[in-house]
């Protein structure tokens, strides 16, 4: 996340917000945020949201996650909002929404849903 310039914006039980600037190194050929940036932020926000619900002495790993790209990532930065849909001991179902922010206006650019596995450390 350091490489992306990402930072945690909000931390609550089952809810995480992360943002990162859209810089030339992470754009695609048309100048929009690359889908990989949307995926990385969404996966991380969802994973951290799951971590807030994981048992003590556990980390989390993504077992699977799906992304729907909804619009080009145009603007100054991306914001990902991760949330837990269903916590569990063995599996945590999560979702994340990614927004492009340009001059204060937000555009929904990606929706993710997946499964996170708590792993003892």
């Amino acid at each position: 996340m350091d490489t992306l310039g990402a930072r945690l914006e909000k931390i609550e039980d089952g809810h995480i917000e992360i943002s990162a600037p859209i810089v030339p190194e992470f754009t695609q050929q048309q100048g929009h945020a690359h889908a990989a940036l949307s995926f990385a932020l969404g996966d991380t926000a969802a994973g951290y949201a799951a971590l807030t619900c994981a048992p003590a002495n556990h980390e989390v790993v993504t077992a699977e996650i799906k992304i729907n790209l909804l619009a080009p990532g145009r603007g100054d930065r991306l914001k990902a909002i991760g949330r837990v849909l269903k916590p569990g001991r063995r599996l945590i179902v999560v979702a994340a929404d990614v927004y492009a922010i340009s001059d204060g206006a937000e555009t929904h650019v990606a929706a993710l849903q997946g499964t996170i596995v708590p792993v003892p450390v």
Side-chain angles (χ1 to χ4, degrees):
M1 292 290 99
D2 284 341
T3 301
L4 302 178
R7 51 177 209 227
L8 285 167
E9 301 285 344
K10 188 174 191 179
I11 303 169
E12 296 175 352
D13 286 345
H15 181 97
I16 296 288
E17 294 183 19
I18 299 174
S19 70
I22 299 172
V23 295
E25 294 81 7
F26 298 109
T27 59
Q28 43 84 292
Q29 70 276 8
Q30 296 167 334
H32 309 137
H34 197 283
L37 180 58
S38 295
F39 187 88
L41 289 176
D43 177 51
T44 302
Y48 279 144
L51 187 58
T52 69
C53 298
N57 301 319
H58 282 66
E59 288 288 333
V60 295
V61 295
T62 302
E64 60 83 28
I65 199 160
K66 174 197 185 320
I67 187 170
N68 287 99
L69 299 170
L70 308 173
R74 298 184 187 120
D76 306 313
R77 64 190 177 101
L78 294 182
K79 175 175 74 172
I81 301 171
R83 64 193 182 284
V84 172
L85 299 178
K86 179 154 183 10
R89 257 192 3 238
R90 294 194 177 139
L91 300 174
I92 302 170
V93 179
V94 295
D97 293 291
V98 181
Y99 299 89
I101 300 172
S102 181
D103 296 324
E106 295 185 359
T107 302
H108 195 190
V109 298
L112 296 85
Q113 185 171 325
T115 308
I116 306 291
V117 178
V119 179
V121 288

